[in-house]
Amino acid sequence: ATLFSFPSRHHPAPHSPIFHTTFPLPTGLHPTLQLTFPSSRSLIPPAASCALHTYLTLPAALFIDRYQFSDALFLRAHGLIALRSFAGEGDLEAPEWVVQKWGSAALFELAHPLPPDRTRDAATKRDAGNAKASAEDAWTVRIPLHARYMSPTNGTGGTRDVAVPWPAVFWACDAADGLKMSVNPFDRANLDYDGLFGPKTMFYHLAPALDTSAPAGMAGMQGKLVEIVKVPVMDLAARGAGYVELGTLVAVLAGFAWVLWKLVGVGWGVGIKSTHTGL
């Protein structure tokens, strides 16, 4: 019998690491996606060349401000090293109803606590904050998001539910020298975020910690890798909403009348001046 062995590109991460995804309340128009790793012991890189990453897929109702992540101090304060890739809708001002694309996707490199027996280059140490957490300490990474203005609702209490899938969290490592990644007939590369890395990159995936709870009215989301973010919107059925529409209409009409009055006044003055000149 002949046994064929091929190198695999994707593996579960060693030490059985898990992570939680949450949005601390209140979310408001600027929710923060929070990744929590319950134990620092699980965040040991499989090899010295490995870097911790997360890949986010955001719906059109949410977006990230790419310019925020160009500040090294801001990145360090949120447990991040860099925004490595961004694709999709990047307009910071567009409301949800004019966005044509499905949303956006972003790849971040994450900082992580350095174990005592591992060393990394000086630049990475500075980005990670030289953290040498104990094995029982949790490690938290925060990614600020922003909500687009959404269409008004009727009778929803002033919020709309936006479903946000959990991100993928993984180590990206250089393959060992001599490992022939291209000879695997079962390998399918460049299908998703793996296309953002080199052809000889190994991925070690962290497992998400399933949450069995779900908000009221979202029972179908129990045990799903989806978070529900409540985004504030105008509720047309709320008390006083009709007065807002009436007040807006009155303000627009008053402004139009004022502009028209000024135009008529200018035209009248020019006409009188022309008459006096003719005399």
Side-chain angles (χ1 to χ4, degrees):
T2 302
L3 177 63
F4 294 95
S5 177
F6 303 101
S8 178
R9 191 178 302 272
H10 295 272
H11 307 265
H15 310 290
S16 302
I18 62 172
F19 69 93
H20 298 265
T21 300
T22 56
F23 283 90
L25 299 176
T27 53
L29 289 173
H30 305 280
T32 299
L33 188 150
Q34 184 168 286
L35 298 175
T36 303
F37 305 90
S39 174
S40 299
R41 178 183 300 168
S42 64
L43 289 179
I44 298 177
S49 65
C50 298
L52 187 62
H53 292 80
T54 185
Y55 185 75
L56 280 67
T57 304
L58 300 176
L62 298 176
F63 66 96
I64 66 170
D65 183 354
R66 290 173 290 173
Y67 304 103
Q68 281 185 306
F69 303 103
S70 58
D71 182 5
L73 184 60
F74 178 87
L75 291 170
R76 190 177 298 112
H78 289 78
L80 303 169
I81 290 182
L83 172 62
R84 296 302 185 191
S85 176
F86 177 84
E89 183 58 58
D91 192 330
L92 305 182
E93 304 295 337
E96 185 208 20
W97 59 84
V98 303
V99 174
Q100 300 297 323
K101 296 181 181 179
W102 52 269
S104 58
L107 175 70
F108 287 92
E109 184 178 349
L110 309 181
H112 61 87
L114 298 178
D117 58 341
R118 296 289 179 91
T119 57
R120 306 184 72 181
D121 59 90
T124 305
K125 285 183 179 180
R126 287 195 302 271
D127 292 330
N130 286 317
K132 292 187 178 180
S134 68
E136 302 304 324
D137 289 340
W139 183 259
T140 301
V141 174
R142 298 182 305 276
I143 302 177
L145 307 178
H146 307 278
R148 299 187 184 279
Y149 291 114
M150 305 174 71
S151 301
T153 60
N154 198 338
T156 64
T159 61
R160 279 182 59 181
D161 291 340
V162 176
V164 182
W166 280 33
V169 180
F170 55 91
W171 295 99
C173 312
D174 295 334
D177 293 338
L179 196 62
K180 298 180 179 180
M181 302 289 294
S182 60
V183 300
N184 188 345
F186 308 104
D187 193 17
R188 297 293 181 269
N190 301 325
L191 297 180
D192 199 1
Y193 54 79
D194 57 345
L196 302 174
F197 296 87
K200 295 189 66 176
T201 302
M202 309 267 301
F203 301 93
Y204 296 88
H205 298 269
L206 281 69
L210 288 176
D211 186 2
T212 56
S213 63
M218 303 297 292
M221 290 298 180
Q222 291 182 356
K224 305 292 186 181
L225 299 179
V226 174
E227 290 295 312
I228 304 301
V229 180
K230 291 189 175 296
V231 178
V233 296
M234 181 178 180
D235 187 0
L236 298 178
R239 182 179 178 181
Y243 294 106
V244 174
E245 294 182 348
L246 179 61
T248 303
L249 178 62
V250 170
V252 171
L253 292 177
F256 178 75
W258 182 82
V259 172
L260 185 62
W261 172 258
K262 290 297 182 180
L263 291 176
V264 171
V266 171
W268 180 265
V270 172
I272 293 178
K273 185 177 181 179
S274 299
T275 303
H276 285 289
T277 302
L279 296 176

